[in-house]
Amino acid sequence: MSSPNGSEPIRVLIADDEADVRLLLRIQLEHEGFEIVGEANDGQAALDACVDTKPEVVILDLLMPGVNGFEAIPKLRRQHPNVAIVAYTAVAGDFVRKEMARMRIPLLLKSGNVTSLAATLRKLAETARSI
Amino acid sequence: MQGSDASARAAATQSADELDAIRRRVINVVGHALRTPVTTIAGMTNALEAADDEATRAMLIEGLARNAQRLEVLLDDLLQAAGVVTALPVDEPSRLSVHDTFETAWRGLEGPDSLMLPGDDVVVTARATALHRIATILLDNGLKYGHGSVTVSTTMSNNGVRIEVESAGDGPSDEELSRAFELLYRGEHAVTTAPGLGIGLAVARELARAEGGTIELARRGANIVATVELPA
């Protein structure tokens, strides 16, 4: 199981409006040893799911109907300050890159290979667990 | 003469800049729309090789088929939007149930929200491929850009059959609404809500015209209504 200090597996929530993206990430990340504690199809569902599932990291798509990722970020930070966020998006122009950099949120482009995503999740969880 | 040469050069430069901006915009929106299905197919292929149980393999194979079909639809839309005749439906017009067509399209979208079909069903004369594509585009827009449920109602009109697809939610601004049928146009509301090409409504309008019909978009209170008129 994936754990930064050989302890419990890292608890991850997947927020993406594409069901196939959620399915694929769940299969790939579970294979990497992560524990997928929940899925959400928009920002509000992600906020609600954080209450019940207590993830350590949220993988957050930025473009979603209803409450989108941009709107969800400040709410997640306010309501769940201990939950780390990874922005996961199909494309990222200058605005998105600058905004994520300003908020110090790791930004990853969607990919069929989860190596970078898994490394980022481990790094965030390791940092959070060391505090 | 020198003055007119300078004007011509300036006009040519401006024209080249505009063409370059359009080219970048097209590449950007197409790249955006392609990335999710392409990366999903790539990821699912790798995951399939690693999967060690039948249930996971079955889910991945279904996912691969869904995303391949999505690319096929995207390609048809692009060709159709570019006016390529080969992408237009070739089946013969037939008598089609509006309820059946919209319910089938809804199931294909796997929307989490409910589709409401109040009132009686009506029958239209159209190519099944075209009506299914129009239904998919309008329902998909309702799902992506609305808040919750989508309602499809049908009535007889002077020109044939009127189909209204109504989705809840504040949706686009008035300017965005007025430009919604422009090819590759994506307003701020669309850009910040869901990925897309900005060609769905343009394609739907062309398909409706080819069937002898029309499509309009309007605000009704807090909702957005797409109205399709087709021959009965």
Side-chain angles (χ1 to χ4, degrees):
Chain A
M1 297 297 270
S2 189
S3 54
N5 300 317
S7 52
E8 291 298 307
I10 297 165
R11 298 166 59 79
V12 177
L13 175 75
I14 301 167
D16 196 305
D17 61 318
E18 298 262 2
D20 281 335
V21 172
R22 297 197 304 270
L23 169 68
L24 179 60
L25 285 178
R26 174 181 281 276
I27 291 170
Q28 289 178 311
L29 292 175
E30 283 181 346
H31 192 256
E32 291 281 328
F34 293 89
E35 182 182 358
I36 308 303
V37 296
E39 296 181 15
N41 62 6
D42 76 356
Q44 185 57 52
L47 286 159
D48 295 341
C50 280
V51 176
D52 299 327
T53 63
K54 307 212 174 341
E56 294 172 87
V57 190
V58 176
I59 299 171
L60 186 68
D61 182 20
L62 294 177
L63 298 184
M64 294 185 284
V67 177
N68 66 38
F70 295 99
E71 294 164 328
I73 287 170
K75 293 179 181 177
L76 276 167
R77 287 224 157 131
R78 197 166 52 247
Q79 296 172 26
H80 306 282
N82 297 325
V83 177
I85 303 167
V86 178
Y88 193 63
T89 184
V91 290
D94 284 346
F95 172 76
V96 172
R97 288 167 198 259
K98 283 177 184 164
E99 276 298 285
M100 294 305 119
R102 183 181 66 77
M103 292 187 282
R104 300 187 178 192
I105 289 178
L107 171 67
L108 291 173
L109 291 180
K110 287 182 179 175
S111 164
N113 185 323
V114 287
T115 307
S116 297
L117 178 61
T120 304
L121 294 172
R122 289 191 185 100
K123 190 175 170 189
L124 287 169
E126 188 172 6
T127 304
R129 289 182 182 188
S130 66
I131 294 172
Chain B
M1 287 298 287
Q2 279 182 342
S4 74
D5 284 351
S7 299
R9 273 198 302 276
T13 302
Q14 186 180 350
S15 178
D17 287 348
E18 283 170 4
L19 276 175
D20 190 51
I22 292 168
R23 183 177 59 81
R24 287 172 188 279
R25 188 170 151 206
V26 170
I27 291 170
N28 186 39
V29 294
V30 172
H32 194 163
L34 285 174
R35 181 177 277 275
T36 297
V38 166
T39 56
T40 302
I41 287 172
M44 285 185 166
T45 307
N46 292 334
L48 192 58
E49 288 176 32
D52 47 16
D53 68 281
E54 276 308 309
T56 303
R57 292 176 68 83
M59 277 193 295
L60 287 167
I61 289 168
E62 282 174 18
L64 283 168
R66 267 195 305 275
N67 283 275
Q69 189 185 18
R70 189 169 157 181
L71 285 178
E72 207 172 350
V73 170
L74 183 62
L75 182 61
D76 277 350
D77 280 356
L78 282 169
L79 293 174
Q80 217 156 291
V84 178
V85 173
T86 50
L88 286 170
V90 293
D91 46 325
E92 289 295 316
S94 57
R95 305 280 287 154
L96 302 168
S97 150
V98 170
H99 281 192
D100 287 352
T101 304
F102 275 77
E103 280 177 336
T104 303
W106 184 257
R107 283 197 296 275
L109 291 170
E110 298 180 336
D113 306 307
S114 58
L115 175 65
M116 288 183 280
L117 291 158
D120 295 331
D121 191 13
V122 295
V123 172
V124 295
T125 304
R127 290 169 182 81
T129 318
L131 187 60
H132 181 267
R133 189 76 199 104
I134 290 169
T136 302
I137 290 167
L138 299 182
L139 293 173
D140 189 37
N141 280 353
L143 266 178
K144 284 199 297 195
Y145 306 119
H147 293 178
S149 63
V150 180
T151 302
V152 177
S153 51
T154 51
T155 49
M156 299 305 290
S157 70
N158 293 337
N159 300 324
V161 171
R162 177 179 295 146
I163 307 165
E164 291 188 345
V165 181
E166 183 165 356
S167 53
D170 39 6
S173 68
D174 288 344
E175 195 210 333
E176 289 169 331
L177 204 59
S178 70
R179 298 184 62 188
F181 288 98
E182 283 180 29
L183 196 58
L184 296 170
Y185 173 74
R186 302 201 78 223
E188 187 184 346
H189 176 71
V191 167
T192 56
T193 303
L197 279 173
I199 63 175
L201 285 173
V203 167
R205 177 172 271 182
E206 286 310 308
L207 289 169
R209 281 179 178 158
E211 301 303 316
T214 59
I215 293 188
E216 302 297 334
L217 208 57
R219 197 181 301 283
R220 179 182 291 159
N223 297 348
I224 300 296
V225 184
T227 303
V228 186
E229 294 210 337
L230 291 169

